[in-house]
Amino acid sequence: MKQEPYIESVNIERKLPNTINISVKERVPTYMLEFANGFVYMNNQGYMLEISETALEVPIIVGFETPVENISPGSRLIIEDLEKLETVLKIVESAKSNDVYNLITSIDISDGNNFILYLNNEGHTVEFGDGSNINTKILYMKDINIRESGNSGTIILYSDPVRFRADI
């Protein structure tokens, strides 16, 4: 059971005289990587769970450095990607608590000093900057996204002042 990628941990307890209790903690897909003609489901600890042709309703992580030959169920992202994933988790946590998580379709982690969030259904790209002041940036993102509804463009959060640059 421990070799199954979806299984995080297994606890087996014997209760005398003739009972065995098995407790299983499962990993849950929270992100996807685009891979070949499909997707790699991944949990929030960077474990790859499954390769599928079907997309889930979770953000896609792009710009990862993990080599293609390391991508398989049961494997884990390389350390550089795991470090960036920590920032992504904080961004997503703040987005959830501010009711904007469902807007995020993908997150580009290629530059750890400027995470890029894609709000494809809104027509907005968000240049988030690094992992500093995440809550404040999410609030600005939410406000600008509402204010610029119907206009496609880029929300720039890493500069002072934050701003919206419309597509031409």
Side-chain angles (χ1 to χ4, degrees):
M1 277 198 294
K2 286 186 176 184
Q3 293 179 355
E4 167 61 38
Y6 277 95
I7 303 297
E8 184 171 329
S9 64
V10 177
N11 185 32
I12 301 173
E13 187 179 307
R14 184 174 176 195
K15 297 242 183 194
L16 296 176
N18 59 358
T19 302
I20 295 178
N21 288 331
I22 301 175
S23 301
V24 177
K25 183 175 181 184
E26 290 187 64
R27 293 185 174 115
V28 177
T30 50
Y31 301 100
M32 292 183 301
L33 305 175
E34 286 185 314
F35 179 69
N37 292 330
F39 302 94
V40 178
Y41 302 163
M42 185 178 71
N43 78 340
N44 61 3
Q45 295 173 327
Y47 285 100
M48 297 172 218
L49 307 176
E50 177 182 347
I51 298 174
S52 175
E53 294 178 5
T54 306
L56 300 175
E57 293 289 322
V58 297
I60 299 170
I61 302 293
V62 297
F64 57 92
E65 298 177 34
T66 300
V68 172
E69 59 270 11
N70 291 10
I71 296 180
S72 65
S75 296
R76 197 169 184 204
L77 296 175
I78 62 172
I79 193 73
E80 293 83 1
D81 289 337
L82 290 173
E83 290 169 356
K84 294 174 184 176
L85 186 61
E86 286 182 36
T87 301
V88 168
L89 293 173
K90 293 174 187 173
I91 291 169
V92 165
E93 181 180 318
S94 180
K96 284 180 179 178
S97 66
N98 287 287
D99 297 322
V100 292
Y101 169 73
N102 62 331
L103 302 178
I104 302 171
T105 53
S106 61
I107 302 170
D108 187 337
I109 64 169
S110 58
D111 181 356
N113 293 315
N114 189 20
F115 291 85
I116 308 293
L117 283 59
Y118 295 95
L119 316 179
N120 290 349
N121 296 333
E122 305 293 312
H124 296 154
T125 300
V126 180
E127 294 186 10
F128 200 83
D130 62 15
S132 64
N133 303 315
I134 290 174
N135 260 355
T136 302
K137 289 177 182 177
I138 289 291
L139 290 172
Y140 276 123
M141 181 186 89
K142 182 177 182 177
D143 180 59
I144 294 170
N145 183 62
I146 292 169
R147 191 173 57 227
E148 296 296 337
S149 179
N151 299 319
S152 63
T154 303
I155 300 170
I156 302 169
L157 300 176
Y158 63 83
S159 65
D160 189 23
V162 298
R163 63 189 188 279
F164 181 78
R165 182 179 62 227
D167 291 340
I168 298 175

